[in-house]
Every structure is written in C-alpha cells, then in structure tokens.
Amino acid sequence: MSILIYAESAEGKFKKVALELASYAKKVAESLGTTVTAVTVNAGDVSELSKYGVDKVLKVNNDKLAGFTAKAYADVIKQAAQKEAAKVVLLSSTTDSIYLSSLVAVALEAGFASNVVGLPVSTSPFQVKRTAFSNKAFNITEINTDVKVLALAKNSYGIFESASSLTEEDFNPTIGDADFGVKVVSVEKVSGKVSIADADIVVSAGRGLKGPENWGMIEELASVLGAATACSKPVSDLGWRPHGEHVGQTGKPVATNLYIAIGISGAIQHIAGINSSKVKVVINSDPEAPFFKVADYGIVGDAFEIVPQLITKLKAFKEQHS
Amino acid sequence: MKILVCISHVPDTTSKINFTNGDAEFDTNGVQYVINPNDEFGLTRAIWFQEQQGATVTVVNVGGPDTEPTLRKALAIGANEAIRVNANPTDGFFVAKQLAEVIKNGGYDVVIAGKESLDYNGGMVPGMIAGILGYNFLNSCTGITVDGTSVTAVREIDGGKETVSSSLPIVLGAQKGIVEEKDLRIPNMRGIMTARTKVLTILEPVEAAINTKAVKFEKPAPKSAVKLISADNLDELINLLHNEAKVI
C-alpha cells in the first residue's frame, strides 16, 4: 500500500504543481502511515522529488508518450497504482491532469474528488474539503471506495521540503493502440509569455481600459512582475483579448499568490473565478466598485495615470532587490 | 449523425449561495436555475450541426421533475427530443453511469457535455462517461468539426491550444469558444410553443455505485476590509506587497 502521485513534467523539468502535490502527498502518507510513490513520464532527472518526501519513483520513458495523450497517460497511472496497490492516487489540477483524473478514477473504480483544498478532514471515513459553487463555498466530500482519487487545487497547500531517500525504478506499462485513438495534429503554444496556468501573479484588466490598444501598459506591468495577463468577460466578448485570458465563472479559474485587477468592477461571476487567489489588488476609478469588497489592497483612481507610475516604481524596486 | 447533449440544471451564475439543514444541503430558496453555461455552449454547437449537417439532437439530464423546465428550454432552443433520468444527481460516477446507459441504448455518434458544471464543479462526468464506455474523449474543446466518421477539434491546453483528430463515437467536454457567447440561442415564441409538443422521455435509473457524498458545506470566512492606498502613494502599495503580503 502506498500513495501514488502523478508528477507532471514539461521538457524534462517538474512543474511547480508536481512539487506541491509531492509535499501534500507526504503529509497524507504520514497520517495514513505509508509511503509516497511518484509516477513520471519522460521526466529525465527525477532526483528533485527526494526533497519533497517522495520515497520511490516509477520512471516511464517511452517515445510513444512524447506528446500528452489522455487515454495512454491514464493507462500508465492506472497500472502504476495497481503495481503499488495504491489506496490514494493524487493528481494536480492542470488542464492535462483534469483531463486525466476522471479516466483514472473509472479505470480504478475509485471515488473521485476534484478541486481539493487542504489535507483530508478525516481519514476514516475519508473526507476531504473541496471548492464548490465556483469558489463561493466549500464542500466536505466523503469518498466511500477502497481506492480514492483526488485532484489537488493549485496553490491550495504550498510547497514544503521534506528530505527522503529516493529509490528509482524503470517502469514499462503496457500501452496498446487503443490508447492512441486521439491524435494530436498540431500544437500552438504562446511563447515568451507566462501562461495563467503557470503564473504566481496575474495582472488582469477590464472594460475600464477603454480599448484593446491600451493593453500595452498591462502587458508591461505583467512583464515587470513576471506575471500572466488576463481579462474580464466583457473584454473577451468584445474581442479585445483572446478567450484564453477570460477569467471568471465561465472562463478560467485563477488561484494565484497575487491578482491585480485594473478597471474591472467585480461582477459576482468574475469574483467567483479569482476568489481562491491569496492577495487581491484592485485599481478602479469608481470607489463603489464591488471588487473593493473582496480586495486586500485598493487604489481609487485613474488606471491610465496609476499603472505607468506603478511600472516605473516596480522597475526600480526590482532593480533594488535583484 | 446523432448527437446527445448532457445538460446540468444549475443555479444561475448570479445566485447567492446559502445552505440549510445544518449546512448539509444547498438552499434552493429563491434560486433561479439555468442550463449549465458550458452545456449551453455545447447545445448551441449541436444545433448548428442540426441546421448545417442534418444531425438530430437529443438532450439528457439526470434529475428530478423540477429540472424539466431546463430541458424544455433546451427543446425550445431547438433540440429534437429530451430524456430525463429520474434520479438525484449526487455523485459524479452515478450520473456518468446513467448517461452511459442512455448513450449505449441510443447509439449516439457524438456526446457533448460541458467540461464542468457550475454547482459542484467536479469536471468529472464527461471523462467518466468516456471511461465507462471506452469511447475516445476530448476535454476543454473550443472548436469542433465532424466530417463523416471523424472529428477534428481544437482544445485548450496550458499556455496555448492544440488541434486533435479522432474517430466517432466520441465524448467532448465543451467550454466557451466552441461557440461564441453572442451566438447562444434565446428561445423565441415559436420555439417555446413547439417545445411543448416535443417528446420528453422519463427513464428510471439503472443501478450504479455511489462513490462519494457531500456531507457538509461551508462558506468562506468573512474578509477583513480592504486597505485603501492613496493613488499618490504607490510606494506604500509596493511596500505592503513586499513586506506584509510577501507576494513580490
């Protein structure tokens, strides 16, 4: 018996969410009196996982898995879970892992809870806290099956070091043609820009910016902070910014360390999408904007005056602290 | 081509969320229910296939009689027929199992379900249907074309998008982008009248495991008031973000 995590990597490097997942798994393993095994796919050097409490790594190296294919990856995780007799299987909440987790749950006949925040409330019965109603509430979910699949919400636990002596094992699961029914024709990644999924800081703007031609300062502010850019729903509906940047209930959820909202009034659907972010800064000319009710820090004023000054001051701050 | 669109009946996005019965149940008092937005995008795309490629569109929901107005709205938008599986949709696997049964018996080529519903946000049902039936599955779809027996779709990935192809039958997790918001259909009077005469079949649920249950709800702790900073004092904002919040 062990806990199995799927440690996601990209270009041979573990994603931050994989390290958060390992930290979380270590704590759950301690409460269940067991160990943590990670399964990796074409991850290269896996020794980094030993810093975060992983005891064993099942390394899958297979050219057929060079591109992400949900069915095949789910099959790999299923076989790893069976090999380890894992009672708890943990995944992240990246787009790929969300895609995988329900397939893994069905394959293992396991009860599944997604968007899990925090350690299990109880391990017998097994209960976890998860977000519901688009972050407007939490729900304690009880999982009744022998094997449990959990998907951990990003930035909900944190990354904690915990040294372990790691054993590595090559793992060659059986992958058949049926795993490759979906073929990737082409991939387009936005290069040189921080994606919302990877970002610790998001700079978001709304209709208060008056037009797409004014987004230069938003991008510059994001660039100074190493942040991703995002926008409100009206902005993506108007075609000022791509749909992929729309944050909110029907867009992308954002759970960052810092969310800066500029010229966004704060409709209930937008707030629902960003509520899991730790620190919220709002810049708006309307002191009555509902966003101020949920913000940690607020500035009432004209974004066109404030943002350029903020960029200058942050550049100086960054220089001082680099 | 036979298309099945899975419809969740969810509180309107502006709903205030409250709980009752010792925080064990969602308080439906005063809540307006709608078609789950991600499902509505999928339904609109299905209607497009109906109009352009002669597809038939069936909508299905797992729920009690109170969900029928939502199904009737889908019929008014243009679906050909509706099915309601008469069961309380408490667990994702249970719901997926009911839907898989409908799909198996109906022989649908394309199954569209919103990538997640806006009540429990589990995001699990489309993948579970595919897993149970052994169908191919495409999640987070922002575009789809069907040509004979194959489907080409665009899906969102972290930091970009990818184009994928697959054979039918297939399960698609739909989201905004599969159609534009401005293209969503509003039922007109003729649609509403016609919907009344369309077939709404009620099926009893098949036996299925209930793997999870929601035992309690909590609302986020109340927030302390915003710290307002003068627009002339941006150094203070940077200082607070660095020293107090420790995020830069």
Side-chain angles (χ1 to χ4, degrees):
Chain A
M1 189 236 180
S2 111
I3 287 182
L4 182 80
I5 67 166
Y6 166 52
E8 257 189 79
S9 57
E11 289 156 14
K13 208 173 170 304
F14 287 111
K15 293 185 179 176
K16 249 181 75 183
V17 287
L19 308 180
E20 183 176 27
L21 197 61
S23 309
Y24 179 83
K26 173 68 181 169
K27 208 73 188 163
V28 178
E30 277 173 5
S31 64
L32 291 174
T34 185
T35 57
V36 180
T37 301
V39 59
T40 64
V41 179
N42 297 332
D45 178 13
V46 300
S47 58
E48 189 183 12
L49 292 177
S50 71
K51 276 194 239 163
Y52 303 96
V54 174
D55 301 288
K56 180 177 171 185
V57 181
L58 297 177
K59 295 196 297 183
V60 179
N61 284 301
N62 189 329
D63 289 344
K64 277 191 187 166
L65 301 173
F68 175 77
T69 316
K71 218 169 174 181
Y73 275 52
D75 217 359
V76 166
I77 297 168
K78 172 196 155 187
Q79 291 175 53
Q82 286 173 336
K83 176 178 152 52
E84 294 295 298
K87 294 289 182 205
V88 181
V89 178
L90 298 171
L91 294 104
S92 309
S93 292
T94 62
T95 306
D96 285 354
S97 281
I98 287 170
Y99 196 172
L100 281 174
S101 42
S102 51
L103 296 174
V104 170
V106 169
L108 292 170
E109 295 178 8
F112 170 40
S114 57
N115 301 324
V116 170
V117 286
L119 293 165
V121 176
S122 147
T123 52
S124 181
F126 198 91
Q127 295 181 339
V128 286
K129 185 172 172 176
R130 58 183 303 279
T131 57
F133 297 99
S134 305
N135 294 315
K136 291 182 214 164
F138 299 105
N139 162 234
I140 309 293
T141 294
E142 187 171 308
I143 306 179
N144 306 314
T145 47
D146 186 32
V147 179
K148 287 111 183 142
V149 174
L150 309 183
L152 183 68
K154 189 190 158 202
N155 272 339
S156 63
Y157 183 70
I159 296 176
F160 302 97
E161 291 200 5
S162 171
S164 62
S165 54
L166 188 74
T167 57
E168 298 182 20
E169 188 180 318
D170 289 326
F171 179 51
N172 296 301
T174 314
I175 306 162
D177 289 344
D179 282 324
F180 297 95
V182 174
K183 294 193 174 28
V184 177
V185 180
S186 62
V187 178
E188 272 176 60
K189 284 218 175 193
V190 185
S191 57
K193 251 192 92 182
V194 182
S195 79
I196 296 176
D198 298 327
D200 285 327
I201 302 176
V202 168
V203 178
S204 190
R207 249 188 315 196
L209 268 280
K210 296 193 167 82
E213 67 280 6
N214 295 324
W215 244 259
M217 64 180 187
I218 300 300
E219 282 173 341
E220 194 179 351
L221 178 58
S223 160
V224 174
L225 288 165
T229 55
C231 69
S232 64
K233 181 171 175 291
V235 163
S236 77
D237 286 349
L238 286 162
W240 294 358
R241 300 296 290 180
H243 285 311
E245 287 196 6
H246 162 203
V247 158
Q249 209 165 13
T250 53
K252 267 197 176 63
V254 166
T256 53
N257 286 330
L258 172 60
Y259 185 81
I260 303 178
I262 301 164
I264 302 176
S265 61
I268 189 168
Q269 298 94 333
H270 188 86
I271 304 290
I274 62 103
N275 231 357
S276 301
S277 293
K278 291 201 174 73
V279 178
K280 301 159 197 111
V281 174
V282 170
I283 300 170
N284 204 299
S285 56
D286 174 9
E288 300 301 320
F291 220 141
F292 285 113
K293 290 201 174 71
V294 298
D296 298 279
Y297 306 110
I299 298 178
V300 179
D302 182 353
F304 294 100
E305 285 171 20
I306 294 167
V307 176
Q309 282 184 55
L310 190 58
I311 291 168
T312 309
K313 285 182 183 292
L314 277 168
K315 275 183 181 165
F317 169 83
K318 288 278 170 187
E319 260 174 43
Q320 234 178 28
H321 289 82
S322 61
Chain B
M1 177 167 54
K2 286 182 77 176
I3 303 177
L4 182 74
V5 183
C6 307
I7 301 280
S8 277
H9 166 83
V10 299
D12 176 75
T13 55
T14 58
S15 301
K16 295 264 185 265
I17 302 297
N18 290 304
F19 302 101
T20 179
N21 195 14
D23 287 337
E25 284 170 26
F26 175 60
D27 185 358
T28 57
N29 203 11
V31 172
Q32 186 77 35
Y33 280 84
V34 294
I35 299 175
N36 178 45
N38 287 316
D39 302 341
E40 198 176 355
F41 291 124
L43 173 63
T44 307
R45 187 66 188 162
I47 300 298
W48 186 91
F49 281 120
Q50 179 198 58
E51 291 168 354
Q52 304 294 321
Q53 293 179 225
T56 61
V57 178
T58 304
V59 288
V60 61
N61 162 260
V62 178
D66 57 311
T67 70
E68 286 190 9
T70 298
L71 280 174
R72 288 278 174 211
K73 186 182 172 197
L75 290 171
I77 287 170
N80 301 85
E81 57 174 334
I83 299 168
R84 177 171 70 82
V85 181
N86 188 28
N88 191 10
T90 50
D91 167 55
F93 180 77
F94 176 86
V95 170
K97 189 88 179 170
Q98 305 310 321
L99 295 170
E101 190 69 16
V102 170
I103 295 157
K104 216 162 51 184
N105 295 331
Y108 298 97
D109 307 294
V110 177
V111 177
I112 305 178
K115 70 165 185 173
E116 70 171 0
S117 64
L118 297 189
D119 46 7
Y120 286 87
N121 308 103
M124 58 180 77
V125 169
M128 283 184 165
I129 297 170
I132 292 166
L133 293 170
Y135 284 10
N136 287 326
F137 170 45
L138 299 175
N139 205 16
S140 313
C141 289
T142 55
I144 164 182
T145 53
V146 181
D147 177 16
T149 57
S150 69
V151 53
T152 304
V154 179
R155 40 179 309 271
E156 196 170 295
I157 56 174
D158 288 343
K161 59 182 180 178
E162 69 178 14
T163 305
V164 292
S165 70
S166 174
S167 57
L168 301 176
I170 192 143
V171 180
L172 300 162
Q175 66 174 58
K176 186 181 175 188
I178 203 163
V179 292
E180 298 298 322
E181 182 118 355
K182 64 179 169 45
D183 294 328
L184 290 176
R185 307 288 175 98
I186 297 162
N188 56 26
M189 191 45 78
R190 188 164 169 272
I192 294 165
M193 298 306 283
T194 319
R196 289 184 186 163
T197 63
K198 288 181 181 173
V199 177
L200 194 162
T201 307
I202 297 163
L203 300 175
E204 288 308 313
V206 292
E207 212 165 290
I210 295 177
N211 294 338
T212 60
K213 67 175 178 191
V215 289
K216 199 172 181 295
F217 293 92
E218 288 171 9
K219 289 178 79 167
K223 258 198 62 45
S224 51
V226 60
K227 266 189 194 169
L228 284 177
I229 298 147
S230 159
D232 303 326
N233 194 5
L234 296 177
D235 289 325
E236 175 63 5
L237 176 67
I238 293 170
N239 174 42
L240 287 167
L241 292 177
H242 181 61
N243 291 315
E244 186 178 79
K246 300 188 191 311
V247 287
I248 60 168

